[in-house]
Amino acid sequence: SLVLAVLELLQYLAKNAPDMNSARDDEFLQSYYQLYPTREQKSEEVDAIRPILAKAFEKEVHETTNKIVWTKSFGGRWMAPSEVVILSHDFLVHPFKLSQRELICNLLVSQNVPIVNVPSRLNYFFKMFTFKEFCTCFFSKIVSINPTMRDTVALFMLQQLQILSDKYTWFQAMLTSTAFIPTEPKGCLVKVDYLVDSSVADVAKLFTTQEGRFPAACYMKNRQVVAALHSLGMAHKRLRDEDVLERAHSISRLDVETGKSRSNFLVKYLLEYHFKDSRSTYSSSKTTGKLSESDKDLAVSLSNIAFLPIMKSPHPMITCWKDSDAVFMKSVDLFPSVYDKLVFTSHFILDKAVPNDLFKLLTFMRSPTLEYILEHLRTVALWWKNREKGLQNEKKVLKFLDDSTQEIYSHLSLMVLGISDASNSRLKENEEVFAKISFILKDVAFIWEESDFYDINHVYFDEAYKCPPYLVTLDRDKLTSSTSLLLKELGVNDRISHENVLLTLQAIDADYKEAPLPEDILDFTIYCSRRLHKSKKLSNLFLPDVDCIMRSKDRLMYSDQQIQALFTKQEYFKSLEVMKSSKRQYRLHPRISFDTAQGLGIRDPLQALLSKYSDNSVFSGVGYGQHENLCDRLSNILRNYHADGSIFKEFIQNADDAGATVVKFLISWKHFGQSHLVTKEMAAWQGPALYAYNDKTFSESDLRNICKIAGQTKLTDHTKIGRFGVGFCATYHLTDVPSFVSKNWLQIFDPHLKYLGERVQPTKPGVLIDFVKENTGLKEYYSDQIAPYEGIFGCSIVNPPPDGFDGTLFRFPFRRPGMISEICNETFTKGNIESLKRSLKESASTLLLFLQNVNSIELLEKSDKNAPSCLFKLERSGETTNPFKKSFCLPAGKDFSHPPTSQIEKIATVSLPGGKEKSTLWIVSSALGRKKSLEHVLNCGTEDGLIPFTEVAVKVRRKESSLIAQCTKGGLSCFLPLPFGCSLEFHVNGFFDVTKDRRLLKRSVWNEVLISDSLVLAVLELLQYLAKNAPDMNSARDDEFLQSYYQLYPTREQKSEEVDAIR
């Protein structure tokens, strides 16, 4: 009862309290709170009331709803004791002082936290408000707190960070997770780890004040506060990786100058704070330390951000420089600046201002390939040829080109020769490379000297005479020894040869036609005439006439003043027919002496008169010119190719290219008569031979192309698989006198020029006979010569149909022991013919798999007397017996829009005699590339005959209506099987870049993009096709299907130790 009375008293006083927001509230509250019956007793008198009352009051006060406590919160109000809190003991000890407690109370009041300020003896009546609760409240309401009050509290916390962190384990984590630090210039609140120390220049230069990353000024005045911010994560030496990446991304959004400045600062920062221990120059492979895993990841990410400035053209008139509207690019798309002079027309280059130390840390395009540099040199030379007027007078441009070309030549020599002082033995190893250089730079003047590019055929090392562009002498002082050796191998000679003098005079005639020669060119032609002195048999010689106009030698006459006077005065000479020739005669230029003219075979008028009565005029047309020995050429080609089953494959691929569907081979041991032959020397080739037949006839272009060497006729035809091989030249492994019959033509080749007599000559080493038209003569005089073709696969020359033979039949009589050949030393007996037969049989299972047209291959053998017997036969069909036709044909031109497709091929093999037919089913899936390989073809591959096409095939078996894969060791084909396989569970075919002998897969960009693009699509198509033809997967058979199905996935794991370039 007494407790209730006390509570009523307090309630009544509270209701009648004065205005508590005035100065009188302290006086009221001081006396008011003295009425609370506490346990504390001031006097020593015995009091029986207080202990009982205090105890009961303490209990009741926590439950009462009487509003008997004053709080300044909510604008000031009376509240029940259970609704308010008081600051806990946390605030009464170090580091808190009275001023901080008052500040905290005022802050809590401003946020309407019901905090009360009562005498300490009353504390136990109220709930305590701890420091953690305060921090939670403070940080959760940080946005609404008065900035001055907020900053005062925050600065106090940061100053006392060490003490408070030691006392409260949760404190530091709460600070780092809360955005409570205001930034310049707008005062936005951010987390500490978002801040950047504005006093650290290396870091601060990467940001601007407007970006809101610098703390407000008041936070940077106190060292303790700054140290606390550092410990909580404010960047002062090393930024967070995400901030580094964000800074890199920001560069491309800035204006050019600001962006370059930030890029420069960022690179310096990276080298100082992230990559300091791994700095090295680009020319060094050694570093002083290793990158952390974090910095490795950072380097990878930075390599794919466009933040590095690209190098711009050093002169506005160098318009061949590859440029872009973009100022900044990714390092992966840039060449380091050390390669600027080697690729500036084709690739972007890093600005020279970027330190070299960065090259080893980020991913840049590495050393340019031979093809890059050659195409670059070609582009520069063509640009200069079509340059703007006046450009040749720009000294800076000329100096740049001079430096660039010397660096290109030097780099090429090191790439090709490998060492600065190359040996002749090393040169022989690089014949293919020199051939590639010559091919890419053909028809381009690419030798720079002084102020122009010149044709290599007009450039020399030690010529004393100079007459650009027809005769140019290189400055040896500018050339390294390896560069000189490289140019020499490419065709630069010490002195101009007679042949080149002749060609140079022809070039001058073509350039000036009927126009008079300038003085310097005239002087040069006189010099050339002296160099050719005593070369009477030169044809196509051009020299200047008396009017300085170039004329053909056969229209020039020597005529000095004395002779000219004779012809002018005497009517007898003027009336002669020779002076009235249908070809007008011109007087030779008088500066060419009589001895020189006589040595060159130029007539004087008296000799011309005498020749009128001669049956053998000096103008009767003597052949002149260089030609390569054909036997040597063929021998060099065959040196890199083997006399094995690849010979059969050459015929099969040629037949497939021609559109043939049937191919047959016959090994005949029969000997034919030797009486009625074209020449008696042909008797050596009337014995055993290999015949090759296909059911397509030769076209007129085929007749022309078969005479060309090394397969050049198919290079750019996408649909011709024979673009890789040596084609018809492979036959010279077997014979020196190959021949063929097609339509009405019989053609016999004789590279040695010794078997067909006078009918052949170096420029035409063979005979082509229309055997339908000349049938009577052939039967009458050369019956033994045509007998070997009679009756072979339906061929008849003796009694031909009007249109000739409907097909093509080759005959290759074997070179036998004892025969001497300049082409090949290999001879053939029954022993090594057996090896040829075995090599064809061993590849039989996949021989037809990827061909475009050929569906049947047969091998027969015939003894001297018996009829031919079949050794084995291959046939391809659909799953039924219907004629087979590829559902996916190679596209012509640039039509690469075909979707992936699959079809079933049935290949039947019969080995005779007595063998049974063995059939296998295959799924063949084909695809054209859509990404990198297609881009490669459209950009630079069409001239190479490339097409982004691949196929994959897997052997399958039918199980009811489903197909189950039968995984086998994978083979590799370039339409025909290659002599190496792969470790996949299926066979692969594609337009791969293989060596000329088809024995190696090149490590080339084309192969990589073809495999990673087109081949992936083909594999996906195969898996999709199998999935569509899967059995009921809810039955017990699904395990059998899936086991083989998942083996087809091309994983990285390789079971065998064989080198596999595909997987």
PDB file of all heavy atoms in Angstrom, residues 370 409-430 433-434 437 480-483 485-486 489:
ATOM      1  N   LEU A 370      56.497 -14.482 -88.810  1.00  0.00           N
ATOM      2  CA  LEU A 370      57.111 -14.175 -90.102  1.00  0.00           C
ATOM      3  C   LEU A 370      56.071 -13.612 -91.058  1.00  0.00           C
ATOM      4  O   LEU A 370      56.314 -12.630 -91.767  1.00  0.00           O
ATOM      5  CB  LEU A 370      57.736 -15.452 -90.675  1.00  0.00           C
ATOM      6  CG  LEU A 370      58.367 -15.325 -92.060  1.00  0.00           C
ATOM      7  CD1 LEU A 370      59.595 -14.421 -91.999  1.00  0.00           C
ATOM      8  CD2 LEU A 370      58.758 -16.704 -92.594  1.00  0.00           C
ATOM      9  N   TYR A 409      64.404  -5.811 -91.967  1.00  0.00           N
ATOM     10  CA  TYR A 409      65.370  -6.727 -92.579  1.00  0.00           C
ATOM     11  C   TYR A 409      66.185  -7.449 -91.504  1.00  0.00           C
ATOM     12  O   TYR A 409      66.430  -8.654 -91.588  1.00  0.00           O
ATOM     13  CB  TYR A 409      66.323  -5.965 -93.507  1.00  0.00           C
ATOM     14  CG  TYR A 409      65.647  -5.215 -94.622  1.00  0.00           C
ATOM     15  CD1 TYR A 409      66.163  -4.018 -95.102  1.00  0.00           C
ATOM     16  CD2 TYR A 409      64.468  -5.697 -95.199  1.00  0.00           C
ATOM     17  CE1 TYR A 409      65.547  -3.317 -96.128  1.00  0.00           C
ATOM     18  CE2 TYR A 409      63.853  -5.001 -96.221  1.00  0.00           C
ATOM     19  CZ  TYR A 409      64.388  -3.807 -96.679  1.00  0.00           C
ATOM     20  OH  TYR A 409      63.770  -3.123 -97.678  1.00  0.00           O
ATOM     21  N   SER A 410      66.615  -6.704 -90.495  1.00  0.00           N
ATOM     22  CA  SER A 410      67.421  -7.303 -89.432  1.00  0.00           C
ATOM     23  C   SER A 410      66.636  -8.359 -88.681  1.00  0.00           C
ATOM     24  O   SER A 410      67.140  -9.451 -88.389  1.00  0.00           O
ATOM     25  CB  SER A 410      67.891  -6.199 -88.469  1.00  0.00           C
ATOM     26  OG  SER A 410      68.636  -6.746 -87.415  1.00  0.00           O
ATOM     27  N   HIS A 411      65.362  -8.046 -88.372  1.00  0.00           N
ATOM     28  CA  HIS A 411      64.534  -9.005 -87.634  1.00  0.00           C
ATOM     29  C   HIS A 411      64.242 -10.237 -88.480  1.00  0.00           C
ATOM     30  O   HIS A 411      64.265 -11.365 -87.979  1.00  0.00           O
ATOM     31  CB  HIS A 411      63.219  -8.340 -87.203  1.00  0.00           C
ATOM     32  CG  HIS A 411      62.531  -9.043 -86.084  1.00  0.00           C
ATOM     33  ND1 HIS A 411      62.845  -8.820 -84.758  1.00  0.00           N
ATOM     34  CD2 HIS A 411      61.562  -9.994 -86.085  1.00  0.00           C
ATOM     35  CE1 HIS A 411      62.093  -9.587 -84.001  1.00  0.00           C
ATOM     36  NE2 HIS A 411      61.304 -10.308 -84.779  1.00  0.00           N
ATOM     37  N   LEU A 412      63.964 -10.024 -89.749  1.00  0.00           N
ATOM     38  CA  LEU A 412      63.722 -11.161 -90.637  1.00  0.00           C
ATOM     39  C   LEU A 412      64.950 -12.064 -90.722  1.00  0.00           C
ATOM     40  O   LEU A 412      64.836 -13.297 -90.708  1.00  0.00           O
ATOM     41  CB  LEU A 412      63.345 -10.669 -92.037  1.00  0.00           C
ATOM     42  CG  LEU A 412      61.919 -10.165 -92.239  1.00  0.00           C
ATOM     43  CD1 LEU A 412      61.761  -9.610 -93.645  1.00  0.00           C
ATOM     44  CD2 LEU A 412      60.906 -11.282 -92.006  1.00  0.00           C
ATOM     45  N   SER A 413      66.111 -11.467 -90.795  1.00  0.00           N
ATOM     46  CA  SER A 413      67.323 -12.277 -90.904  1.00  0.00           C
ATOM     47  C   SER A 413      67.529 -13.109 -89.650  1.00  0.00           C
ATOM     48  O   SER A 413      67.923 -14.274 -89.725  1.00  0.00           O
ATOM     49  CB  SER A 413      68.534 -11.372 -91.160  1.00  0.00           C
ATOM     50  OG  SER A 413      68.786 -10.522 -90.054  1.00  0.00           O
ATOM     51  N   LEU A 414      67.232 -12.532 -88.489  1.00  0.00           N
ATOM     52  CA  LEU A 414      67.376 -13.295 -87.250  1.00  0.00           C
ATOM     53  C   LEU A 414      66.326 -14.391 -87.141  1.00  0.00           C
ATOM     54  O   LEU A 414      66.588 -15.478 -86.636  1.00  0.00           O
ATOM     55  CB  LEU A 414      67.274 -12.349 -86.043  1.00  0.00           C
ATOM     56  CG  LEU A 414      68.449 -11.376 -85.874  1.00  0.00           C
ATOM     57  CD1 LEU A 414      68.194 -10.430 -84.711  1.00  0.00           C
ATOM     58  CD2 LEU A 414      69.745 -12.137 -85.652  1.00  0.00           C
ATOM     59  N   MET A 415      65.113 -14.097 -87.611  1.00  0.00           N
ATOM     60  CA  MET A 415      64.052 -15.115 -87.581  1.00  0.00           C
ATOM     61  C   MET A 415      64.376 -16.277 -88.515  1.00  0.00           C
ATOM     62  O   MET A 415      64.191 -17.446 -88.173  1.00  0.00           O
ATOM     63  CB  MET A 415      62.709 -14.500 -87.989  1.00  0.00           C
ATOM     64  CG  MET A 415      62.107 -13.565 -86.975  1.00  0.00           C
ATOM     65  SD  MET A 415      60.516 -12.921 -87.536  1.00  0.00           S
ATOM     66  CE  MET A 415      59.481 -14.348 -87.304  1.00  0.00           C
ATOM     67  N   VAL A 416      64.845 -15.952 -89.706  1.00  0.00           N
ATOM     68  CA  VAL A 416      65.062 -16.977 -90.725  1.00  0.00           C
ATOM     69  C   VAL A 416      66.362 -17.725 -90.502  1.00  0.00           C
ATOM     70  O   VAL A 416      66.425 -18.952 -90.588  1.00  0.00           O
ATOM     71  CB  VAL A 416      65.056 -16.340 -92.132  1.00  0.00           C
ATOM     72  CG1 VAL A 416      65.380 -17.371 -93.186  1.00  0.00           C
ATOM     73  CG2 VAL A 416      63.697 -15.706 -92.410  1.00  0.00           C
ATOM     74  N   LEU A 417      67.419 -16.952 -90.180  1.00  0.00           N
ATOM     75  CA  LEU A 417      68.739 -17.561 -90.054  1.00  0.00           C
ATOM     76  C   LEU A 417      69.038 -17.996 -88.630  1.00  0.00           C
ATOM     77  O   LEU A 417      69.902 -18.841 -88.403  1.00  0.00           O
ATOM     78  CB  LEU A 417      69.821 -16.586 -90.533  1.00  0.00           C
ATOM     79  CG  LEU A 417      69.590 -16.029 -91.954  1.00  0.00           C
ATOM     80  CD1 LEU A 417      70.654 -15.022 -92.289  1.00  0.00           C
ATOM     81  CD2 LEU A 417      69.566 -17.160 -92.973  1.00  0.00           C
ATOM     82  N   GLY A 418      68.359 -17.400 -87.663  1.00  0.00           N
ATOM     83  CA  GLY A 418      68.467 -17.851 -86.287  1.00  0.00           C
ATOM     84  C   GLY A 418      69.617 -17.262 -85.520  1.00  0.00           C
ATOM     85  O   GLY A 418      69.565 -17.114 -84.315  1.00  0.00           O
ATOM     86  N   ILE A 419      70.694 -16.906 -86.176  1.00  0.00           N
ATOM     87  CA  ILE A 419      71.863 -16.338 -85.515  1.00  0.00           C
ATOM     88  C   ILE A 419      72.384 -15.187 -86.359  1.00  0.00           C
ATOM     89  O   ILE A 419      72.118 -15.091 -87.551  1.00  0.00           O
ATOM     90  CB  ILE A 419      72.981 -17.390 -85.318  1.00  0.00           C
ATOM     91  CG1 ILE A 419      73.286 -18.111 -86.641  1.00  0.00           C
ATOM     92  CG2 ILE A 419      72.611 -18.390 -84.269  1.00  0.00           C
ATOM     93  CD1 ILE A 419      74.399 -19.117 -86.537  1.00  0.00           C
ATOM     94  N   SER A 420      73.160 -14.306 -85.731  1.00  0.00           N
ATOM     95  CA  SER A 420      73.594 -13.110 -86.446  1.00  0.00           C
ATOM     96  C   SER A 420      74.610 -13.418 -87.536  1.00  0.00           C
ATOM     97  O   SER A 420      74.685 -12.761 -88.546  1.00  0.00           O
ATOM     98  CB  SER A 420      74.180 -12.100 -85.455  1.00  0.00           C
ATOM     99  OG  SER A 420      75.237 -12.693 -84.737  1.00  0.00           O
ATOM    100  N   ASP A 421      75.423 -14.448 -87.363  1.00  0.00           N
ATOM    101  CA  ASP A 421      76.390 -14.845 -88.384  1.00  0.00           C
ATOM    102  C   ASP A 421      76.022 -16.230 -88.876  1.00  0.00           C
ATOM    103  O   ASP A 421      76.498 -17.248 -88.373  1.00  0.00           O
ATOM    104  CB  ASP A 421      77.812 -14.853 -87.817  1.00  0.00           C
ATOM    105  CG  ASP A 421      78.261 -13.440 -87.441  1.00  0.00           C
ATOM    106  OD1 ASP A 421      77.970 -12.509 -88.221  1.00  0.00           O
ATOM    107  OD2 ASP A 421      78.872 -13.287 -86.384  1.00  0.00           O
ATOM    108  N   ALA A 422      75.079 -16.289 -89.817  1.00  0.00           N
ATOM    109  CA  ALA A 422      74.512 -17.568 -90.240  1.00  0.00           C
ATOM    110  C   ALA A 422      75.482 -18.322 -91.133  1.00  0.00           C
ATOM    111  O   ALA A 422      76.260 -17.744 -91.872  1.00  0.00           O
ATOM    112  CB  ALA A 422      73.208 -17.342 -90.981  1.00  0.00           C
ATOM    113  N   SER A 423      75.413 -19.621 -91.047  1.00  0.00           N
ATOM    114  CA  SER A 423      76.240 -20.480 -91.897  1.00  0.00           C
ATOM    115  C   SER A 423      75.433 -20.961 -93.090  1.00  0.00           C
ATOM    116  O   SER A 423      74.211 -20.937 -93.083  1.00  0.00           O
ATOM    117  CB  SER A 423      76.726 -21.683 -91.085  1.00  0.00           C
ATOM    118  OG  SER A 423      75.636 -22.448 -90.647  1.00  0.00           O
ATOM    119  N   ASN A 424      76.141 -21.423 -94.114  1.00  0.00           N
ATOM    120  CA  ASN A 424      75.457 -21.907 -95.310  1.00  0.00           C
ATOM    121  C   ASN A 424      74.616 -23.132 -95.013  1.00  0.00           C
ATOM    122  O   ASN A 424      73.565 -23.342 -95.618  1.00  0.00           O
ATOM    123  CB  ASN A 424      76.483 -22.229 -96.400  1.00  0.00           C
ATOM    124  CG  ASN A 424      77.114 -20.964 -96.961  1.00  0.00           C
ATOM    125  OD1 ASN A 424      76.472 -19.916 -96.961  1.00  0.00           O
ATOM    126  ND2 ASN A 424      78.344 -21.056 -97.397  1.00  0.00           N
ATOM    127  N   SER A 425      75.052 -23.970 -94.056  1.00  0.00           N
ATOM    128  CA  SER A 425      74.273 -25.167 -93.729  1.00  0.00           C
ATOM    129  C   SER A 425      72.926 -24.785 -93.143  1.00  0.00           C
ATOM    130  O   SER A 425      71.926 -25.466 -93.356  1.00  0.00           O
ATOM    131  CB  SER A 425      75.049 -26.040 -92.732  1.00  0.00           C
ATOM    132  OG  SER A 425      75.289 -25.319 -91.535  1.00  0.00           O
ATOM    133  N   ARG A 426      72.903 -23.658 -92.388  1.00  0.00           N
ATOM    134  CA  ARG A 426      71.636 -23.230 -91.813  1.00  0.00           C
ATOM    135  C   ARG A 426      70.678 -22.746 -92.894  1.00  0.00           C
ATOM    136  O   ARG A 426      69.462 -22.912 -92.802  1.00  0.00           O
ATOM    137  CB  ARG A 426      71.893 -22.112 -90.791  1.00  0.00           C
ATOM    138  CG  ARG A 426      70.647 -21.659 -90.046  1.00  0.00           C
ATOM    139  CD  ARG A 426      70.061 -22.793 -89.234  1.00  0.00           C
ATOM    140  NE  ARG A 426      68.822 -22.408 -88.621  1.00  0.00           N
ATOM    141  CZ  ARG A 426      68.728 -21.987 -87.364  1.00  0.00           C
ATOM    142  NH1 ARG A 426      69.795 -21.913 -86.606  1.00  0.00           N
ATOM    143  NH2 ARG A 426      67.560 -21.667 -86.865  1.00  0.00           N
ATOM    144  N   LEU A 427      71.232 -22.169 -93.949  1.00  0.00           N
ATOM    145  CA  LEU A 427      70.388 -21.665 -95.032  1.00  0.00           C
ATOM    146  C   LEU A 427      69.623 -22.791 -95.700  1.00  0.00           C
ATOM    147  O   LEU A 427      68.467 -22.643 -96.080  1.00  0.00           O
ATOM    148  CB  LEU A 427      71.246 -20.933 -96.064  1.00  0.00           C
ATOM    149  CG  LEU A 427      71.926 -19.634 -95.587  1.00  0.00           C
ATOM    150  CD1 LEU A 427      72.821 -19.098 -96.667  1.00  0.00           C
ATOM    151  CD2 LEU A 427      70.888 -18.615 -95.188  1.00  0.00           C
ATOM    152  N   LYS A 428      70.259 -23.936 -95.858  1.00  0.00           N
ATOM    153  CA  LYS A 428      69.611 -25.046 -96.549  1.00  0.00           C
ATOM    154  C   LYS A 428      68.382 -25.534 -95.779  1.00  0.00           C
ATOM    155  O   LYS A 428      67.468 -26.092 -96.363  1.00  0.00           O
ATOM    156  CB  LYS A 428      70.605 -26.191 -96.737  1.00  0.00           C
ATOM    157  CG  LYS A 428      71.763 -25.833 -97.680  1.00  0.00           C
ATOM    158  CD  LYS A 428      72.773 -26.969 -97.791  1.00  0.00           C
ATOM    159  CE  LYS A 428      73.933 -26.585 -98.701  1.00  0.00           C
ATOM    160  NZ  LYS A 428      74.953 -27.663 -98.773  1.00  0.00           N
ATOM    161  N   GLU A 429      68.387 -25.344 -94.452  1.00  0.00           N
ATOM    162  CA  GLU A 429      67.262 -25.786 -93.644  1.00  0.00           C
ATOM    163  C   GLU A 429      66.056 -24.870 -93.797  1.00  0.00           C
ATOM    164  O   GLU A 429      64.979 -25.176 -93.322  1.00  0.00           O
ATOM    165  CB  GLU A 429      67.680 -25.827 -92.166  1.00  0.00           C
ATOM    166  CG  GLU A 429      68.835 -26.798 -91.892  1.00  0.00           C
ATOM    167  CD  GLU A 429      69.328 -26.680 -90.446  1.00  0.00           C
ATOM    168  OE1 GLU A 429      68.662 -25.960 -89.676  1.00  0.00           O
ATOM    169  OE2 GLU A 429      70.330 -27.315 -90.118  1.00  0.00           O
ATOM    170  N   ASN A 430      66.246 -23.715 -94.424  1.00  0.00           N
ATOM    171  CA  ASN A 430      65.168 -22.728 -94.484  1.00  0.00           C
ATOM    172  C   ASN A 430      64.674 -22.468 -95.900  1.00  0.00           C
ATOM    173  O   ASN A 430      64.214 -21.371 -96.206  1.00  0.00           O
ATOM    174  CB  ASN A 430      65.650 -21.412 -93.864  1.00  0.00           C
ATOM    175  CG  ASN A 430      65.827 -21.519 -92.376  1.00  0.00           C
ATOM    176  OD1 ASN A 430      64.859 -21.503 -91.627  1.00  0.00           O
ATOM    177  ND2 ASN A 430      67.062 -21.671 -91.945  1.00  0.00           N
ATOM    178  N   VAL A 433      61.075 -21.460 -95.941  1.00  0.00           N
ATOM    179  CA  VAL A 433      60.855 -20.113 -95.428  1.00  0.00           C
ATOM    180  C   VAL A 433      61.189 -19.075 -96.499  1.00  0.00           C
ATOM    181  O   VAL A 433      60.455 -18.116 -96.709  1.00  0.00           O
ATOM    182  CB  VAL A 433      61.707 -19.883 -94.166  1.00  0.00           C
ATOM    183  CG1 VAL A 433      61.534 -18.450 -93.663  1.00  0.00           C
ATOM    184  CG2 VAL A 433      61.325 -20.872 -93.084  1.00  0.00           C
ATOM    185  N   PHE A 434      62.308 -19.276 -97.198  1.00  0.00           N
ATOM    186  CA  PHE A 434      62.668 -18.341 -98.272  1.00  0.00           C
ATOM    187  C   PHE A 434      61.607 -18.362 -99.372  1.00  0.00           C
ATOM    188  O   PHE A 434      61.288 -17.321 -99.960  1.00  0.00           O
ATOM    189  CB  PHE A 434      64.033 -18.702 -98.861  1.00  0.00           C
ATOM    190  CG  PHE A 434      65.179 -18.322 -97.967  1.00  0.00           C
ATOM    191  CD1 PHE A 434      66.035 -19.289 -97.474  1.00  0.00           C
ATOM    192  CD2 PHE A 434      65.385 -17.005 -97.615  1.00  0.00           C
ATOM    193  CE1 PHE A 434      67.092 -18.946 -96.643  1.00  0.00           C
ATOM    194  CE2 PHE A 434      66.440 -16.641 -96.793  1.00  0.00           C
ATOM    195  CZ  PHE A 434      67.295 -17.614 -96.298  1.00  0.00           C
ATOM    196  N   ILE A 437      58.759 -16.248 -98.149  1.00  0.00           N
ATOM    197  CA  ILE A 437      59.074 -14.818 -98.255  1.00  0.00           C
ATOM    198  C   ILE A 437      58.909 -14.352 -99.696  1.00  0.00           C
ATOM    199  O   ILE A 437      58.288 -13.323 -99.970  1.00  0.00           O
ATOM    200  CB  ILE A 437      60.509 -14.558 -97.761  1.00  0.00           C
ATOM    201  CG1 ILE A 437      60.626 -14.866 -96.262  1.00  0.00           C
ATOM    202  CG2 ILE A 437      60.909 -13.108 -98.035  1.00  0.00           C
ATOM    203  CD1 ILE A 437      62.033 -14.770 -95.736  1.00  0.00           C
ATOM    204  N   THR A 480      73.601  -5.333 -91.517  1.00  0.00           N
ATOM    205  CA  THR A 480      74.344  -6.304 -90.722  1.00  0.00           C
ATOM    206  C   THR A 480      74.743  -7.466 -91.619  1.00  0.00           C
ATOM    207  O   THR A 480      74.213  -7.629 -92.729  1.00  0.00           O
ATOM    208  CB  THR A 480      73.493  -6.831 -89.567  1.00  0.00           C
ATOM    209  OG1 THR A 480      72.361  -7.530 -90.105  1.00  0.00           O
ATOM    210  CG2 THR A 480      72.999  -5.686 -88.687  1.00  0.00           C
ATOM    211  N   SER A 481      75.660  -8.282 -91.134  1.00  0.00           N
ATOM    212  CA  SER A 481      76.102  -9.419 -91.949  1.00  0.00           C
ATOM    213  C   SER A 481      74.970 -10.390 -92.209  1.00  0.00           C
ATOM    214  O   SER A 481      74.835 -10.942 -93.307  1.00  0.00           O
ATOM    215  CB  SER A 481      77.256 -10.139 -91.248  1.00  0.00           C
ATOM    216  OG  SER A 481      76.856 -10.597 -89.958  1.00  0.00           O
ATOM    217  N   SER A 482      74.092 -10.583 -91.193  1.00  0.00           N
ATOM    218  CA  SER A 482      72.968 -11.514 -91.383  1.00  0.00           C
ATOM    219  C   SER A 482      71.941 -10.948 -92.352  1.00  0.00           C
ATOM    220  O   SER A 482      71.352 -11.686 -93.148  1.00  0.00           O
ATOM    221  CB  SER A 482      72.308 -11.835 -90.042  1.00  0.00           C
ATOM    222  OG  SER A 482      71.851 -10.666 -89.406  1.00  0.00           O
ATOM    223  N   THR A 483      71.739  -9.612 -92.320  1.00  0.00           N
ATOM    224  CA  THR A 483      70.808  -8.994 -93.268  1.00  0.00           C
ATOM    225  C   THR A 483      71.342  -9.138 -94.690  1.00  0.00           C
ATOM    226  O   THR A 483      70.593  -9.440 -95.623  1.00  0.00           O
ATOM    227  CB  THR A 483      70.592  -7.519 -92.920  1.00  0.00           C
ATOM    228  OG1 THR A 483      70.047  -7.415 -91.608  1.00  0.00           O
ATOM    229  CG2 THR A 483      69.648  -6.860 -93.915  1.00  0.00           C
ATOM    230  N   LEU A 485      73.223 -11.486 -95.790  1.00  0.00           N
ATOM    231  CA  LEU A 485      73.086 -12.882 -96.174  1.00  0.00           C
ATOM    232  C   LEU A 485      71.640 -13.211 -96.535  1.00  0.00           C
ATOM    233  O   LEU A 485      71.371 -13.936 -97.504  1.00  0.00           O
ATOM    234  CB  LEU A 485      73.555 -13.780 -95.019  1.00  0.00           C
ATOM    235  CG  LEU A 485      73.765 -15.264 -95.326  1.00  0.00           C
ATOM    236  CD1 LEU A 485      74.706 -15.443 -96.514  1.00  0.00           C
ATOM    237  CD2 LEU A 485      74.321 -15.977 -94.105  1.00  0.00           C
ATOM    238  N   LEU A 486      70.692 -12.650 -95.769  1.00  0.00           N
ATOM    239  CA  LEU A 486      69.278 -12.861 -96.071  1.00  0.00           C
ATOM    240  C   LEU A 486      68.931 -12.312 -97.446  1.00  0.00           C
ATOM    241  O   LEU A 486      68.305 -12.992 -98.270  1.00  0.00           O
ATOM    242  CB  LEU A 486      68.414 -12.177 -95.005  1.00  0.00           C
ATOM    243  CG  LEU A 486      66.919 -12.151 -95.291  1.00  0.00           C
ATOM    244  CD1 LEU A 486      66.323 -13.540 -95.161  1.00  0.00           C
ATOM    245  CD2 LEU A 486      66.190 -11.181 -94.361  1.00  0.00           C
ATOM    246  N   GLU A 489      70.215 -14.434-100.209  1.00  0.00           N
ATOM    247  CA  GLU A 489      69.417 -15.639-100.435  1.00  0.00           C
ATOM    248  C   GLU A 489      68.104 -15.328-101.151  1.00  0.00           C
ATOM    249  O   GLU A 489      67.550 -16.162-101.854  1.00  0.00           O
ATOM    250  CB  GLU A 489      69.123 -16.333 -99.101  1.00  0.00           C
ATOM    251  CG  GLU A 489      70.310 -17.047 -98.493  1.00  0.00           C
ATOM    252  CD  GLU A 489      70.843 -18.129 -99.416  1.00  0.00           C
ATOM    253  OE1 GLU A 489      70.035 -18.909 -99.950  1.00  0.00           O
ATOM    254  OE2 GLU A 489      72.071 -18.199 -99.615  1.00  0.00           O
TER     255      GLU A 489
END
